[in-house]
């Protein structure tokens, strides 16, 4: 034991010790390969020493990278053999453990210390094996703590940050043979996220350096956070994400991600005309489905809800007003509730054509796809992951649009399908009156066999881009009547398609380039007070409780309501089943 270890050809390298590889703060960059043993590097040559494996017993002269590696090996050894121990002595460079039954019959004992000459930890004394035997089969193990769970799931967290706790429990059970509690797994997952992506507090300190490097986060805004740190501590920080639509058949997810400390500042940035989110560059409207759902939640009348949906989809104000009059006859309070909402926010007939046909799409839901799986990450990793996702989306869409242009297409695919369907009806429409010089036409649709009524007769004014059906004005592309008029005089209907539907416009929209970020070690140093997070907004331990008020919008459109698992009746769950009888004593 006191002999000097000779130098030979067998070399124990950093990789041999199982140290973690370099990692970047997003799953889009290099993958993480963490092992159960980690420590500091040793550049010298060591011979005659073998690293420990989980199937082997402990023995003297086993070396480990650091103290954590020794403790991890002891824990794994105890799990494998269903035994337990306690730490009797522990210091910075020394640790001693004994079996729980050491005072009785079992003499198992392990001592390990730091060897200065090796710059490694070594087991200096080992008395074993265990002579005790456990007579109880436990479901969990005291030594299977959250730190051990990190070593099992770190790779999974690197690949999928939103991995469910139930899957983590199953993974730990397969790896270690024990079923751990939800609380222990949750803590292990949080530690794994901190190991892979950095801690929650340290992530905030990186914001100023990231912004100073000319990245996507405004420098002044991040610096303002440091100034308002005390105020921000009493408020809830926000991750502000803006989403917009390109208008014609294709949605563009434009994400502006930054942290804001004050609600007033957040509202002010949105209302500032210079930001482009206000008219004439941007228009805010409501999702008609959400408006109708709120109406139904308040008045519990599905007939009124259906009328409001139809009123919102009307192209002509007269049709919308007619349905609102019916609602007023059924329920005056519901009619007043609707009138308190500006019609241009929810009714297509009054919005000036800014919807481009988008009525029921909640564009904010697009962010769920962008942020899915990364919402639990620290703020810096969340920003980088969002940037990478958006950059990947823009690159893919730009390539798809370019391929369609090379193929010879001019319009987006959705409009091409719509035009093709409308042309089938336009060919059998009858142009009864025409004034070709002024671009005036009267177009009559064929008899509607399904509704058993004559077809509509609409006036078309090509020069002024008007049609009585108002679909031309609202959708900004030729309706059936415009297509019939153009076909009657052999006129190019593509002249009346809004540029937002053209592939060239789409290519310009996706032409934004995203430049490389670079490693954190190359970001500039920024002096001043660091950005401090609000500890009150940190998610507490345990399974979160949903605060969402659920209604019929949470049910599938074409499916049924959720059924009770007891009585199999729709509309309630097992917990609130009215048919459940109390158990007899």
């Amino acid at each position: 034991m006191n002999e000097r270890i000779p130098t030979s050809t067998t070399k124990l390298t950093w990789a041999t010790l199982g140290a973690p590889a370099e990692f970047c703060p997003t799953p889009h960059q290099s993958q993480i390969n963490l092992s159960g043993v980690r420590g500091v590097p040793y550049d010298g040559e060591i011979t005659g020493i073998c690293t420990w494996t989980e199937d082997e017993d402990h023995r003297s002269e086993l070396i480990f990278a650091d103290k954590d590696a020794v403790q991890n090996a002891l824990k794994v050894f105890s799990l494998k053999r269903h035994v337990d121990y306690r730490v009797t002595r522990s210091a910075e460079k020394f640790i001693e453990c004994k079996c729980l039954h050491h005072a009785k019959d079992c003499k198992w004992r392990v001592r390990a210390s730091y060897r200065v000459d090796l710059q490694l930890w070594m087991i200096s004394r080992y008395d074993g094996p265990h002579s005790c035997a456990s007579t109880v089969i436990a479901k969990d193990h005291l030594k299977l703590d959250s730190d051990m769970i990190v070593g099992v799931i770190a790779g999974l967290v690197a690949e999928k940050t939103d991995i469910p706790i139930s899957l983590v429990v199953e993974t730990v059970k397969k790896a270690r043979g024990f079923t751990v509690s939800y609380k222990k797994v949750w803590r292990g997952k949080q530690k794994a996220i901190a190991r892979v992506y950095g801690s929650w507090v340290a992530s905030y300190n990186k914001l100023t350096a990231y912004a100073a490097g000319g990245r996507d986060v405004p420098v002044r805004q991040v610096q303002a956070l440091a100034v308002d740190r005390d105020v921000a501590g009493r408020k809830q920080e926000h991750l502000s994400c803006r989403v917009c639509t390109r208008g014609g058949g294709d949605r563009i997810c434009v994400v502006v991600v930054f942290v804001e400390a004050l609600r007033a500042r957040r509202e002010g940035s949105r209302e500032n005309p210079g930001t482009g989110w206000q008219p004439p560059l941007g228009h805010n409207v409501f999702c008609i489905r959400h408006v109708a759902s709120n109406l139904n939640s308040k008045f519990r009348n599905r007939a009124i809800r259906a009328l409001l949906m139809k009123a919102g989809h009307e192209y002509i104000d007269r049709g919308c007003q007619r349905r609102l009059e019916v609602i007023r006859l059924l329920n005056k309070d519901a009619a007043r509730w609707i009138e308190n909402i500006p019609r241009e926010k929810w009714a297509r007939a009054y919005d000036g054509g800014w919807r481009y046909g988008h009525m029921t799409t909640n564009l904010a839901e697009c962010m769920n796809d962008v942020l899915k799986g990364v919402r639990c990450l620290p703020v810096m990793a969340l920003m980088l992951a969002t940037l990478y996702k958006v950059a990947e989306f823009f690159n893919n869409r730009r390539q798809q649009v370019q391929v369609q242009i090379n193929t010879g297409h001019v319009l987006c695919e959705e409009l091409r399908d719509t035009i093709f369907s409308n042309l089938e009806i336009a060919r059998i429409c009858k142009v009864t009156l025409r004034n070709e010089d002024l671009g005036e036409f009267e177009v009559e649709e064929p008899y509607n066999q399904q509704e058993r009524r004559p077809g509509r007769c609409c006036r078309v004014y090509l020069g002024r881009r008007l049609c009585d059906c108002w679909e031309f004005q609202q959708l900004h592309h030729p309706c059936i009547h415009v297509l019939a008029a153009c076909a009657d005089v052999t006129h190019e209907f593509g002249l009346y398609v809004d540029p937002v539907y053209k592939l060239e416009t789409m290519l310009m929209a996706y032409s934004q380039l995203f430049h490389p970020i670079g490693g954190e070690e190359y970001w500039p140093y920024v002096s001043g007070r660091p950005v401090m997070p609000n500890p009150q907004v940190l998610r507490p331990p345990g399974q979160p409780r949903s605060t969402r008020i659920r209604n019929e919008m949470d049910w599938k459109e074409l499916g049924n309501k959720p059924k009770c698992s007891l009585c199999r009746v729709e509309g309630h769950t097992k917990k609130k089943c009215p048919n459940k009888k109390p158990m007899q004593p």
Side-chain angles (χ1 to χ4, degrees):
M1 184 64 193
N2 296 325
E3 295 181 358
R4 182 177 181 84
I5 300 178
T7 302
S8 182
T9 57
T10 304
K11 187 174 183 180
L12 188 62
T13 62
W14 175 232
T16 309
L17 295 177
E22 292 288 336
F23 61 84
C24 297
T26 61
H28 295 275
Q29 298 177 345
S30 60
Q31 297 295 326
I32 303 171
N33 183 18
L34 295 174
S35 63
V37 181
R38 61 183 181 88
V40 296
Y42 177 66
D43 296 329
E45 296 182 352
I46 303 177
T47 60
I49 298 178
C50 299
T51 57
W52 177 78
T53 60
E54 296 183 4
D55 296 330
E56 295 178 338
D57 201 347
H58 288 156
R59 62 182 182 275
S60 299
E61 299 185 2
L62 281 178
I63 65 169
F64 298 90
D66 54 16
K67 186 176 182 180
D68 291 339
V70 176
Q71 294 176 323
N72 183 75
L74 294 174
K75 292 176 182 178
V76 173
F77 176 84
S78 300
L79 294 176
K80 283 280 189 177
R81 289 150 182 82
H82 295 271
V83 294
D84 202 355
Y85 66 92
R86 68 176 181 272
V87 179
T88 56
R89 296 174 60 190
S90 179
E92 182 180 357
K93 298 182 179 182
F94 177 82
I95 186 173
E96 181 185 69
C97 303
K98 295 182 180 180
C99 177
L100 288 179
H101 306 286
H102 188 270
K104 299 180 180 178
D105 298 328
C106 185
K107 301 302 180 181
W108 184 90
R109 179 172 57 178
V110 172
R111 290 182 182 177
S113 60
Y114 178 72
R115 291 285 300 271
V116 179
D117 55 341
L118 301 178
Q119 297 185 9
L120 296 170
W121 280 69
M122 176 179 290
I123 294 181
S124 57
R125 178 173 179 175
Y126 177 75
D127 298 333
H130 281 272
S131 60
C132 60
S134 177
T135 59
V136 179
I137 301 178
K139 188 178 181 180
D140 198 354
H141 198 286
L142 293 177
K143 293 301 182 288
L144 185 54
D145 54 12
S146 58
D147 293 329
M148 286 201 66
I149 295 175
V150 173
V152 177
I153 68 172
L156 297 178
V157 171
E159 297 177 1
K160 185 177 176 60
T161 56
D162 61 339
I163 180 173
I165 299 297
S166 58
L167 182 57
V168 177
V169 173
E170 292 297 324
T171 303
V172 175
K173 185 177 181 180
K174 291 181 181 179
R176 299 305 180 194
F178 292 91
T179 303
V180 293
S181 63
Y182 182 99
K183 184 177 181 180
K184 189 184 294 185
V185 171
W186 187 90
R187 289 179 176 175
K189 181 181 176 181
Q190 301 307 309
K191 291 182 179 180
I193 292 176
R195 175 184 291 187
V196 177
Y197 301 101
S199 66
W200 190 59
V201 176
S203 180
Y204 275 80
N205 295 331
K206 301 176 184 178
L207 288 175
T208 51
Y210 177 77
R215 314 305 180 191
D216 289 349
V217 180
V219 179
R220 293 182 179 178
Q221 196 160 25
V222 176
Q223 290 177 346
L225 282 176
V227 175
D228 296 332
R229 178 182 59 177
D230 297 334
V231 181
R234 297 190 295 270
K235 300 291 184 180
Q236 180 176 353
E237 289 92 348
H238 298 273
L239 181 68
S240 179
C241 306
R242 310 288 173 80
V243 188
C244 69
T245 178
R246 188 185 54 82
D250 185 56
R251 297 172 181 85
I252 293 181
C253 181
V254 179
V255 186
V256 181
V257 183
F258 50 89
V259 181
E260 296 178 302
L262 300 177
R263 179 180 179 86
R265 179 174 296 133
R266 177 170 59 106
E267 297 295 335
S269 63
R270 185 172 58 193
E271 296 175 357
N272 185 0
T275 59
W277 297 101
Q278 295 297 324
L281 298 178
H283 297 265
N284 300 307
V285 292
F286 298 153
C287 171
I288 183 60
R289 188 183 172 196
H290 283 76
V291 175
S293 177
N294 294 337
L295 175 69
N296 187 50
S297 299
K298 185 173 183 61
F299 296 99
R300 301 293 180 180
N301 193 317
R302 294 193 176 184
I304 296 178
R305 177 185 182 275
L307 286 170
L308 180 63
M309 290 285 293
K310 293 180 180 180
H313 284 83
E314 289 285 350
Y315 287 100
I316 307 175
D317 56 354
R318 181 174 56 187
C320 179
Q321 184 62 35
R322 184 173 62 250
R323 300 187 185 278
L324 291 177
E325 290 294 336
V326 178
I327 295 177
R328 186 173 289 105
L329 293 176
L330 295 176
N331 192 321
K332 294 182 180 180
D333 294 335
R336 283 193 293 268
W337 186 90
I338 297 173
E339 290 298 333
N340 289 331
I341 306 176
R343 293 187 182 181
E344 63 272 12
K345 293 292 187 180
W346 61 270
R348 179 159 50 186
Y350 298 93
D351 67 358
W354 291 109
R355 286 183 177 267
Y356 282 79
H358 300 301
M359 287 298 302
T360 60
T361 302
N362 181 14
L363 295 178
E365 295 296 335
C366 297
M367 286 306 302
N368 288 338
D369 184 58
V370 177
L371 298 178
K372 184 178 181 180
V374 298
R375 288 174 290 186
C376 60
L377 298 181
V379 62
M380 195 67 243
L382 175 60
M383 293 179 60
L384 294 178
T386 306
L387 174 63
Y388 295 142
K389 284 176 176 288
V390 175
E392 182 182 8
F393 172 78
F394 268 59
N395 292 334
N396 294 338
R397 292 298 294 157
R398 182 168 57 248
Q399 184 179 8
Q400 294 174 8
V401 173
Q402 187 63 61
V403 171
Q404 294 183 49
I405 294 176
N406 297 338
T407 308
H409 296 296
V410 178
L411 306 177
C412 64
E413 183 178 3
E414 183 175 343
L415 182 59
R416 295 200 303 266
D417 296 339
T418 302
I419 294 293
F420 180 80
S421 301
N422 290 342
L423 281 174
E424 297 295 325
I425 304 176
R427 291 191 181 98
I428 57 178
C429 289
K430 182 180 180 181
V431 180
T432 54
L433 291 175
R434 68 182 61 84
N435 190 336
E436 186 175 350
D437 295 335
L438 298 178
E440 299 176 350
F441 302 86
E442 185 176 274
V443 182
E444 182 179 352
E445 296 180 3
Y447 184 83
N448 193 323
Q449 296 289 346
Q450 183 178 3
E451 299 182 4
R452 297 182 180 181
R453 61 172 177 82
R456 295 177 296 177
C457 185
C458 298
R459 296 169 298 173
V460 176
Y461 302 93
L462 293 180
R464 291 183 289 170
R465 295 177 178 263
L466 298 176
C467 181
D468 284 346
C469 69
W470 275 82
E471 295 181 23
F472 189 22
Q473 296 91 302
Q474 294 290 343
L475 303 181
H476 304 281
H477 65 72
C479 60
I480 295 174
H481 314 105
V482 173
L483 291 175
C486 292
D488 184 71
V489 294
T490 318
H491 193 56
E492 177 59 45
F493 70 84
L495 298 174
Y496 306 102
V497 177
D498 194 282
V500 298
Y501 292 98
K502 297 183 178 180
L503 293 176
E504 293 182 355
T505 307
M506 294 178 60
L507 187 62
M508 293 176 58
Y510 291 113
S511 61
Q512 171 67 43
L513 299 178
F514 296 86
H515 303 287
I517 300 298
E520 178 186 342
E521 62 272 17
Y522 302 109
W523 296 353
Y525 173 76
V526 178
S527 60
R529 294 193 297 173
V531 179
M532 300 298 296
N534 183 1
Q536 297 180 356
V537 302
L538 184 63
R539 176 181 166 184
Q543 188 172 6
R545 292 183 176 272
S546 176
T547 58
R548 178 173 179 174
I549 301 175
R550 301 186 180 273
N551 53 20
E552 75 280 355
M553 285 189 61
D554 297 288
W555 303 330
K556 295 182 179 179
E557 286 288 336
L558 301 179
N560 298 324
K561 301 178 184 178
K563 290 184 178 181
C564 174
S565 59
L566 288 179
C567 63
R568 307 305 298 169
V569 176
E570 296 180 350
H572 63 267
T573 60
K574 175 182 178 180
K575 184 177 181 180
K576 298 182 179 180
C577 179
N579 302 317
K580 181 172 62 174
K581 297 181 180 179
M583 296 183 61
Q584 298 295 332

